[in-house]
Amino acid sequence: MDNDIQGRPAHVAAIREKAEAEMREMGVDAAFIDRLVETFYARVLTHPDLGPVFDAKLSGRWPEHMAKMKSFWSSVAFRSGAYGGKPVQSHTHVQNLTPDLFPKWLSLFAATLDDIAPTPEAKAWFMATAERIAKSLVLSLFYNPALDDPARKPV
């Protein structure tokens, strides 16, 4: 058991080093994460459907949110463990948040990556990750398993 406990920090460090190397190969660094978050959320604010939803939730707290999103994406990309938030809880009870906003969010994210991603590999990695995040949030926030119950479906 002691070997497992002692080996954990080394295992975590190896995961982080591998992620950092993979990101470096794709041209991703901390400066890119900052630019991605800043560019994307500037576009979110001007989006006719997304802007009002985000601004209603974050009015007066945009600097905090931007720092949190930079920490989140850095943690995801570099496996740094820097982000300790709860994304599902953060999105619960957001006024006017609907499932149809997520494809718009993804489309805007893709357009941002088209404009600033350092490599096609970086764009693909960030898009695949964003799509998983969006799917997870939609399922967590809006999915009702009772609606899939065959006994409740009309014939």
Side-chain angles (χ1 to χ4, degrees):
M1 179 118 168
D2 286 339
N3 286 340
D4 288 344
I5 293 171
Q6 291 172 351
R8 179 153 171 68
H11 178 70
V12 170
I15 290 170
R16 185 175 298 130
E17 287 171 16
K18 181 179 178 194
E20 289 171 356
E22 289 171 354
M23 288 298 122
R24 206 170 25 254
E25 286 175 23
M26 288 188 266
V28 173
D29 58 11
F32 170 73
I33 300 290
D34 287 352
R35 185 172 174 217
L36 174 62
V37 170
E38 294 284 342
T39 304
F40 175 67
Y41 282 100
R43 293 175 180 190
V44 163
L45 275 171
T46 63
H47 190 279
D49 298 322
L50 298 172
V53 174
F54 275 82
D55 204 36
K57 176 72 175 174
L58 299 169
S59 182
R61 297 183 310 113
W62 275 101
E64 284 174 34
H65 182 70
M66 297 301 283
K68 188 179 284 188
M69 290 300 92
K70 289 174 184 180
S71 174
F72 171 79
W73 280 106
S74 178
S75 185
V76 171
F78 302 116
R79 308 288 194 272
S80 68
Y83 178 78
K86 298 177 180 177
V88 174
Q89 277 186 340
S90 297
H91 291 85
T92 304
H93 307 298
V94 172
Q95 295 283 339
N96 300 315
L97 181 63
T98 59
D100 66 304
L101 290 177
F102 285 85
K104 294 174 184 183
W105 182 88
L106 286 169
S107 178
L108 192 61
F109 197 75
T112 302
L113 288 169
D114 282 341
D115 292 342
I116 69 167
T119 62
E121 295 81 12
K123 179 188 178 197
W125 188 92
F126 278 88
M127 267 319 296
T129 302
E131 288 167 352
R132 282 193 305 276
I133 291 165
K135 184 176 183 178
S136 175
L137 283 171
V138 168
L139 286 172
S140 297
L141 296 169
F142 303 107
Y143 177 64
N144 181 348
L147 297 176
D148 281 344
D149 184 348
R152 293 181 182 239
K153 290 194 179 208
V155 178

